[in-house]
């Protein structure tokens, strides 16, 4: 079964332990916050464990999720298993859900010792031993796309041990084509962008893997065709990478058309000011930025790689293209040139997101899987 769709999570409340081995700002960490919040809204008791410091602990606390900060690296990893075992016993945990590789190892052994079922989410393409040869007794896996699930099965994972559950968002589904709102104008004013500009956005880590250099090169062509176009990059950027992108843009004569916002917690507000979102990544499993843009009624121009074709319907909710500068530039220009096309694609994207990629759907599907594995343990 490639995916599961539980209409609701019935039965008594479950005690769930979410374990993630990173506290930075990325897709997996955002997923844990949203999933934990929605599981609690369904009536389940959720405790989260993550490394100390960073972005994640404060976000979990703000969401009302009980959290324990636990060292999982270096010398701390040796005692983490025993500490997790203690948490499992004290809080009478019914299921352990791990995220990222280190947490998968630690959570698996702690759950196995405690005889509690363990589910490990796979957020990115990986060949790590943990997702191939860890004993499968009492251990199940969630892939965030069929692309990842198929990859795992092709490497030897039994089909009945891995399920696809797509990421979800709680961003408000918005109808495109409305008049420019004060919110949109405030974003443009904050970024020093004219009110009548056309904004192309990219959300996520700003680096070569995510396609930032390709985006800047494409921007050089787009700005020639659309002199009012600006490119906004939202996400973590290493200073040397940002400097390199500025230099590249300056050589192309568009140094004044780039904006870097850094890590932000107001993604929906920023996306509201964008005409189109681009995802020129080398590989993706189930990018949250694409789902969020769809929910906001924004068309997406993206590389035809990994799990992205499972999200975007080419020509209907966005454009899937080969990962080249010229193809990206042409696709962006096509969307910018036609307000009607943007509106139609945005409306279709919002409808698809509401049907398949909401946080409530994700949480209900996950809760259903929890009950399934608890019954099988």
């Amino acid at each position: 079964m490639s995916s599961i769709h539980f209409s609701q999570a019935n039965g008594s409340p479950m005690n769930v332990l979410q374990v993630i081995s990173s506290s930075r700002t990325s897709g997996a960490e955002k997923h844990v916050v949203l999933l934990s919040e929605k599981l609690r809204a369904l009536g389940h008791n959720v405790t989260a464990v993550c490394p100390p410091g960073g972005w994640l602990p404060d976000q979990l606390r703000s969401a009302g999720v009980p959290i324990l900060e636990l060292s999982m690296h270096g010398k701390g990893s040796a005692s983490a298993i025993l500490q997790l075992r203690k948490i499992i016993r004290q809080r009478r945990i019914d299921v352990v859900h791990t995220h990222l590789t280190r947490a998968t190892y630690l959570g698996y052994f702690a759950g196995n010792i405690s005889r509690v079922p363990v589910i490990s989410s796979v957020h990115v393409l990986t060949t790590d031993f943990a997702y191939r040869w860890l004993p499968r007794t009492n251990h199940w896996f969630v892939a965030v796309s069929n692309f990842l699930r198929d990859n795992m099965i092709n490497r030897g994972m039994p089909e009945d041990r891995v399920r696809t559950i797509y990421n979800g968002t709680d961003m408000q589904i918005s109808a495109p084509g409305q008049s420019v709102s004060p919110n949109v104008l405030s974003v443009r004013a904050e970024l020093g962008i004219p009110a009548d500009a056309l904004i192309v956005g990219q959300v996520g880590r700003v680096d070569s893997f995510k396609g930032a250099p390709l985006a800047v090169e494409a921007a050089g062509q787009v700005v020639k065709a659309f002199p009012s176009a600006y490119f906004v990059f939202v996400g973590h950027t290493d200073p040397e990478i940002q400097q390199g992108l500025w230099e590249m843009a300056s050589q192309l004569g568009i140094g004044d058309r780039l904006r870097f916002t850094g890590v932000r917690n107001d993604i929906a507000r920023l996306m509201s000011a964008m005409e189109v979102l681009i995802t020129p990544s080398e590989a993706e499993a189930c990018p949250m930025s694409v789902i969020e843009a769809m929910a906001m009624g924004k068309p997406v121009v993206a590389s035809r790689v990994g799990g992205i074709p499972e999200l975007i319907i080419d020509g209907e909710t966005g454009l899937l293209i080969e990962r080249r500068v010229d193809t990206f530039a042409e696709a962006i220009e096509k969307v910018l040139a036609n307000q009607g096309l943007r509106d139609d694609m945005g409306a279709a994207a919002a409808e698809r997101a509401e049907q398949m990629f909401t946080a409530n759907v994700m949480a209900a599907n996950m809760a259903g899987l929890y009950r399934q594995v608890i019954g099988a343990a």
Side-chain angles (χ1 to χ4, degrees), residues 26-31 121-125 142-149 164-169 203 209-210 279 281 283-294 302-303 305-312 352 356-358 362:
S26 192
E29 292 83 354
K30 293 179 180 179
H31 171 84
S121 275
V122 185
H123 296 273
V124 297
L125 186 64
V142 167
V144 297
S145 64
N146 286 327
F147 163 73
L148 283 185
R149 181 178 185 270
T164 297
I165 298 180
Y166 291 111
N167 290 331
T169 179
V203 177
F209 184 81
K210 293 290 186 178
T279 305
S281 304
E284 291 282 1
C286 184
M288 281 299 302
S289 61
V290 170
I291 291 175
E292 290 166 348
M294 291 172 63
S303 308
V305 296
I308 293 179
E310 298 173 44
L311 308 180
I312 297 171
R352 181 168 171 80
M356 296 184 61
F357 306 122
T358 69
M362 173 187 68

Side-chain angles (χ1 to χ4, degrees), residues 42-63:
L42 290 173
H44 304 298
N45 304 308
V46 180
T47 300
V49 176
C50 69
W55 174 88
L56 184 57
D58 287 343
Q59 294 298 311
L60 286 166
R61 292 189 185 96
S62 296

Side-chain angles (χ1 to χ4, degrees), residues 6-296:
F6 299 97
S7 60
Q8 57 184 336
N10 296 320
S12 58
M14 295 176 286
N15 298 324
V16 181
L17 181 63
Q18 300 284 343
V19 184
I20 183 167
S21 47
S22 168
S23 292
R24 67 178 187 175
T25 309
S26 192
E29 292 83 354
K30 293 179 180 179
H31 171 84
V32 168
V33 174
L34 191 55
L35 175 60
S36 298
E37 185 178 13
K38 295 302 180 180
L39 287 171
R40 282 167 53 82
L42 290 173
H44 304 298
N45 304 308
V46 180
T47 300
V49 176
C50 69
W55 174 88
L56 184 57
D58 287 343
Q59 294 298 311
L60 286 166
R61 292 189 185 96
S62 296
V65 180
I67 177 176
L68 297 169
E69 297 180 58
L70 177 64
S71 177
M72 302 181 191
H73 296 79
K75 296 180 179 179
S77 61
S79 62
I81 294 173
L82 296 179
Q83 294 184 64
L84 288 172
R85 180 190 182 192
K86 182 179 179 181
I87 294 168
I88 291 170
R89 289 182 173 180
Q90 288 179 340
R91 307 212 171 194
R92 298 182 179 181
I93 297 298
D94 296 307
V95 61
V96 176
H97 189 173
T98 71
H99 307 264
L100 306 180
T101 300
R102 186 176 294 270
T104 294
Y105 282 108
L106 300 177
Y108 168 76
F109 288 114
N112 194 49
I113 294 170
S114 305
R115 297 184 179 181
V116 171
V118 179
I119 295 173
S120 296
S121 275
V122 185
H123 296 273
V124 297
L125 186 64
T126 175
T127 59
D128 192 90
F129 180 90
Y131 308 105
R132 299 181 65 185
W133 303 117
L134 273 182
R136 289 156 192 155
T137 302
N138 215 35
H139 197 192
W140 289 262
F141 296 85
V142 167
V144 297
S145 64
N146 286 327
F147 163 73
L148 283 185
R149 181 178 185 270
D150 292 344
N151 182 269
M152 295 175 70
I153 292 171
N154 290 338
R155 290 187 288 108
M157 179 67 66
E159 292 188 20
D160 63 349
R161 286 282 157 171
V162 56
R163 299 288 188 268
T164 297
I165 298 180
Y166 291 111
N167 290 331
T169 179
D170 64 350
M171 283 190 180
Q172 183 177 1
I173 309 298
S174 61
Q178 298 175 341
S179 59
V180 178
S181 69
N183 193 49
V184 170
L185 293 176
S186 72
V187 170
R188 295 174 183 236
E190 174 192 337
L191 299 178
I193 295 175
D196 60 349
L198 297 170
I199 297 181
V200 180
Q202 183 174 348
V203 177
R205 192 174 67 251
V206 182
D207 60 18
S208 296
F209 184 81
K210 293 290 186 178
L214 186 152
V216 172
E217 286 191 64
Q221 298 184 31
V222 172
V223 172
K224 289 180 181 179
F226 293 88
S228 64
Y230 284 73
F231 282 67
V232 176
F233 296 85
V234 182
H236 173 76
T237 313
D238 289 334
E240 60 272 20
I241 291 178
Q242 183 170 327
Q243 181 62 34
L245 295 174
W246 279 124
E247 293 174 358
M248 180 187 300
S250 295
Q251 292 174 0
L252 294 170
I254 58 167
D256 62 331
R257 298 309 177 93
L258 303 190
R259 299 291 187 272
F260 297 91
T261 72
V263 175
R264 299 287 290 255
N265 290 325
D266 58 344
I267 300 298
R269 174 175 170 268
L270 294 174
M271 279 190 177
S272 70
M274 299 173 184
E275 271 65 46
V276 58
L277 185 113
I278 61 172
T279 305
S281 304
E282 292 181 6
E284 291 282 1
C286 184
M288 281 299 302
S289 61
V290 170
I291 291 175
E292 290 166 348
M294 291 172 63
M296 292 292 294

Side-chain angles (χ1 to χ4, degrees), residues 323-340:
R323 191 176 179 274
R324 300 197 312 269
V325 172
D326 59 339
T327 54
F328 258 92
E330 291 168 5
I332 294 168
E333 290 170 16
K334 178 179 180 179
V335 176
L336 293 182
N338 192 329
Q339 176 72 57

